[in-house]
Amino acid sequence: MAKLFKIFVELYELLLTARKDDRSGRAVSTGSMKVDDLIAIASTRRSDINPATMKASYEILHEVALEEVCRSKSVEFGLTHNKIGVEGVFIGDHPTWDSSKNHLFLLSTATAEVRKALKDISVEVLGMSSSGIFINSLTDVTSGEVNTRITPGGGVNLTGSKIRIAGDAPGVGIYLADLKTGSTTAIPATSILVNDPSKITFIVPPDLPSGDYRLSITTQFSSNVLLNEPRTGVLDYVLACG
């Protein structure tokens, strides 16, 4: 039976195992979409519903879903089931909440509909990525959380392949893009403490506004000589700040 969708996977060096030929795979991105983009597509399928009405309905449902999640209910919204999770260790049978050790987070699980849809995707493996740059993980030193958050003024450890910041072409550096406003914050070179091919440590700007961010690295680094054209790697995870 023919698959409904198709994606491509590129391979990257996997530095965490003993085997030299182990590789990690990453789906090739075909772009990113926001709510307005989805509404534009949906309105072509349902011409009887005004795009403004669609967005107003979405915003109301979004607000209600958020409120109910914050009341500790399990809420199905969009592509996931969502509920509040608790992190951190408690000492004794009657402890108090310690915000320096205990944290709340959003636990999201794919719906059955999503799990079924994943089976309708055919995959073609393209081989090793031509860029070679790959951001594997981000650890927020302040909280210890991995691939979830960044703390203003706190340290960040990045691991990956060929991520060293090198070259003087326009755009070379580390960037945090605010997903809501579209504004981009560059990490100053003086805030980069470790700059190795497989590890970078930097300090998050102390005045970084609260929001959801996407991290990217642009570099001309190569194993031997600087590349003529810079290449960009993007962390797959959205990072919460504040």
Side-chain angles (χ1 to χ4, degrees):
M1 183 176 178
K3 301 286 189 177
L4 296 178
F5 311 99
K6 183 175 183 176
I7 66 171
F8 298 93
V9 169
E10 289 183 331
L11 303 179
Y12 296 82
E13 293 181 7
L14 187 60
L15 304 176
L16 303 179
T17 64
R19 288 180 59 101
K20 298 300 183 182
D21 58 350
D22 281 351
R23 303 289 183 258
S24 62
R26 185 180 186 186
V28 177
S29 174
T30 58
S32 60
M33 306 193 78
K34 295 184 177 181
V35 172
D36 287 341
D37 301 316
L38 299 176
I39 290 175
I41 295 174
S43 63
T44 65
R45 302 180 183 180
R46 289 294 304 270
S47 58
D48 57 318
I49 304 178
N50 185 282
T53 301
M54 286 189 186
K55 185 167 186 179
S57 299
Y58 165 81
E59 290 175 345
I60 293 171
L61 286 172
H62 183 276
E63 181 180 354
V64 172
L66 178 59
E67 291 173 355
E68 295 308 315
V69 164
C70 290
R71 294 187 174 99
S72 199
K73 292 183 180 177
S74 178
V75 176
E76 178 186 333
F77 186 71
L79 307 178
T80 59
H81 296 283
N82 306 278
K83 64 176 297 184
I84 296 295
V86 178
E87 291 182 321
V89 176
F90 297 88
I91 306 299
D93 295 335
H94 303 285
T96 57
W97 181 266
D98 186 345
S99 58
S100 67
K101 300 177 180 178
N102 310 123
H103 309 279
L104 300 179
F105 70 100
L106 183 65
L107 178 63
S108 296
T109 307
T111 63
E113 183 181 24
V114 171
R115 296 196 299 272
K116 180 181 178 182
L118 293 179
K119 297 179 181 178
D120 283 326
I121 302 175
S122 66
V123 179
E124 180 178 339
V125 180
L126 299 178
M128 291 297 290
S129 167
S130 59
S131 71
I133 182 172
F134 176 62
I135 308 173
N136 181 56
S137 69
L138 177 149
T139 301
D140 178 64
V141 175
T142 302
S143 65
E145 295 187 30
V146 179
N147 296 333
T148 57
R149 70 171 54 251
I150 49 179
T151 302
V156 164
N157 290 327
L158 290 176
T159 64
S161 176
K162 298 182 179 179
I163 58 176
R164 180 179 179 181
I165 306 301
D168 56 6
V172 167
I174 305 173
Y175 298 92
L176 293 168
D178 189 313
L179 298 185
K180 184 175 183 179
T181 66
S183 62
T184 300
T185 300
I187 303 301
T190 53
S191 295
I192 301 176
L193 309 179
V194 176
N195 188 23
D196 293 334
S198 60
K199 180 179 180 180
I200 290 177
T201 298
F202 69 89
I203 302 298
V204 179
D207 57 351
L208 187 71
S210 297
D212 294 326
Y213 288 85
R214 181 81 71 183
L215 180 140
S216 65
I217 289 176
T218 299
T219 180
Q220 292 174 263
F221 175 76
S222 181
S223 299
N224 299 311
V225 297
L226 289 179
L227 301 170
N228 292 327
E229 297 293 331
R231 293 171 176 172
T232 299
V234 181
L235 183 68
D236 287 334
Y237 304 92
V238 174
L239 304 169
C241 176

